[in-house]
Amino acid sequence: MLSFSKKAKGFFIDVNAEAVLMARTSSPDAPMVVEEMREAPVSDEAAVQRALKELQGKRRSSFIHARCGIYPPHRLVRRVTLDLKRLKETDYFQEICIQQFHVEEDKCTLAVLNAADGTDYDVGKVTTQKEVIFTGGPNDEFLAAQERLLALGVFPERLELGTLVALGAVMNYHGFAQLKAPTLMLEMDADTTQAFVIGAGGLDISRSIPYGFEAMISVVQKELNLKDEESARKLFYSNTFDFTNMGGALTRKLLKELQALVGFYEVQTGQSIGQVLCTQMPPKLAWLGGAIAKELGVESLKLDFAAWLKSREISFASSAEPSGMDARWLAVFGQMTYYDAVPVAKK
């Protein structure tokens, strides 16, 4: 007589600069139900391990087998226009890596994808497709992320760049929500802002801007006449002061770069940015996304997680309702979905 084991659960974990976001689902692949979600500060290892144990529930094992999203400090997600005449040159891609990205291929794990849909770019195939995405990162940063996950009791069945997962999710959401105008997606951390423009044809622009949260600290100190930058830093990250009215001053340097990017895009395509989405904004700095959108003269994109995921055959248990959930969870849900079919359009 054959016996069947209980259907396996799915575990999805996203480790960003501020937090570890976790979800358990009724099965590893859709159709699935999101049963539990947990969040813990990335700097508090004990809190992360407690949350992981709660996520496992009663059926605990030594390791959680999960799909994991990570954000290596020197991750690479860049759109490139290839010279099709040079595709047969053996050192052409290596030349791009060295001259444009200043990375050495032998020290990095890299992939080349089609910019329109994220599928693998086949160099040996005769093609007229020249818009691609170079993506990856340093081997030592991938290894460090993997070792940390193992130390926490997580075995990464799949290790992905959270940035790339979020981009794929936004592209799919565009089709679902029938967004008419392109979206400016921003991924901010302490020192850098990754900026992407996603349109109907996929990823249109990618750029790394050397301004992050830390660039705003000196402005806070000056505007509020504080004695030192450390006092300004504590106040900025504390969520005890309303910085909304200072949004323009705090983001001036970043906005200058973003306005140049948006202006270039509009001249090249004739399209105007319709909305801004900040995917890695810590909750205490949530006001900052709205300030950036306001200064750019556009709206912040409000994600309808429940409706979008329903179109991907993903639903939520009553204990894991997505209402009020912020855009940081996009990469977690993006790991649950596959985009081999066009989603049902929102009526």
Side-chain angles (χ1 to χ4, degrees):
M1 179 182 292
L2 294 174
S3 61
F4 296 92
S5 60
K6 189 174 181 180
K7 194 174 183 180
K9 302 288 185 180
F11 292 93
F12 304 87
I13 297 172
D14 187 75
V15 184
N16 61 51
E18 299 289 332
V20 181
L21 308 177
M22 312 160 234
R24 185 187 76 232
T25 60
S26 59
S27 65
D29 301 297
M32 64 171 72
V33 177
V34 180
E35 298 176 337
E36 294 288 345
M37 291 183 290
R38 292 288 187 275
E39 176 180 350
V42 72
S43 58
D44 190 339
E45 188 170 316
V48 173
Q49 290 183 329
R50 283 196 303 272
L52 286 169
K53 288 180 180 179
E54 292 171 1
L55 196 71
Q56 274 188 296
K58 295 180 180 180
R59 298 180 65 192
R60 294 178 183 173
S61 59
S62 55
F63 280 92
I64 295 178
H65 288 243
R67 298 175 192 170
C68 302
I70 58 171
Y71 302 82
H74 297 94
R75 59 192 177 278
L76 176 70
V77 181
R78 293 289 175 272
R79 187 179 187 272
V80 175
T81 300
L82 296 175
D83 182 350
L84 297 180
K85 296 178 181 179
R86 298 192 60 190
L87 285 182
K88 293 184 179 180
E89 297 178 19
T90 55
D91 60 349
Y92 178 45
F93 280 22
Q94 183 180 18
E95 180 183 308
I96 291 174
C97 290
I98 294 173
Q99 294 187 0
Q100 295 192 36
F101 311 133
H102 310 293
V103 300
E104 299 177 46
E105 276 191 300
D106 59 339
K107 295 182 180 179
C108 294
T109 297
L110 298 171
V112 183
L113 312 174
N114 289 299
D117 56 14
T119 56
D120 291 331
Y121 186 80
D122 188 347
V123 180
K125 184 179 179 181
V126 178
T127 180
T128 58
Q129 174 59 267
K130 59 183 180 179
E131 304 302 333
V132 300
I133 301 171
F134 276 72
T135 184
N139 294 331
D140 57 351
E141 292 183 5
F142 280 118
L143 181 60
Q146 181 173 300
E147 288 178 344
R148 184 176 185 194
L149 285 165
L150 291 170
L152 289 170
V154 176
F155 182 86
E157 290 184 337
R158 198 167 72 202
L159 195 63
E160 301 182 278
L161 285 179
T163 304
L164 207 61
V165 176
L167 282 170
V170 173
M171 290 179 192
N172 189 259
Y173 191 88
H174 251 256
F176 162 75
Q178 296 181 303
L179 298 177
K180 304 299 182 185
T183 296
L184 175 62
M185 175 180 139
L186 302 178
E187 193 176 84
M188 298 181 67
D189 59 28
D191 302 309
T192 309
T193 296
Q194 308 290 343
F196 307 94
V197 176
I198 300 108
L203 179 62
D204 291 336
I205 284 184
S206 63
R207 187 167 300 170
S208 180
I209 301 172
Y211 295 110
F213 303 130
E214 284 296 306
M216 303 176 192
I217 302 302
S218 60
V219 183
V220 172
Q221 181 188 0
K222 182 179 179 181
E223 292 287 325
L224 299 180
N225 196 28
L226 299 174
K227 62 179 181 179
D228 53 41
E229 285 198 357
E230 188 56 35
S231 299
R233 183 175 290 105
K234 289 180 179 178
L235 182 63
F236 181 69
Y237 289 108
S238 68
N239 198 30
T240 58
F241 184 86
D242 186 358
F243 287 99
T244 306
N245 293 331
M246 293 173 56
L250 291 173
T251 59
R252 187 173 291 120
K253 290 183 179 180
L254 175 61
L255 280 168
K256 185 177 179 181
E257 297 288 337
L258 292 177
Q259 286 165 346
L261 181 150
V262 169
F264 172 80
Y265 179 75
E266 291 179 348
V267 169
Q268 292 291 312
T269 66
Q271 298 184 79
S272 297
I273 300 298
Q275 50 277 323
V276 173
L277 178 66
C278 298
T279 59
Q280 290 294 303
M281 198 67 74
K284 289 183 179 180
L285 299 178
W287 58 269
L288 191 54
I292 293 171
K294 181 181 178 181
E295 293 296 324
L296 290 173
V298 297
E299 297 292 324
S300 293
L301 178 59
K302 306 298 182 184
L303 297 169
D304 187 343
F305 282 123
W308 169 54
L309 292 171
K310 184 179 180 181
S311 76
R312 309 305 303 171
E313 298 186 286
I314 300 171
S315 58
F316 290 83
S318 57
S319 58
E321 285 295 330
S323 58
M325 193 166 294
D326 59 52
R328 294 173 307 144
W329 287 88
L330 185 67
V332 177
F333 298 137
Q335 292 179 54
M336 302 177 187
T337 60
Y338 293 94
Y339 308 120
D340 55 348
V342 178
V344 177
K346 185 178 180 181
K347 293 185 180 180

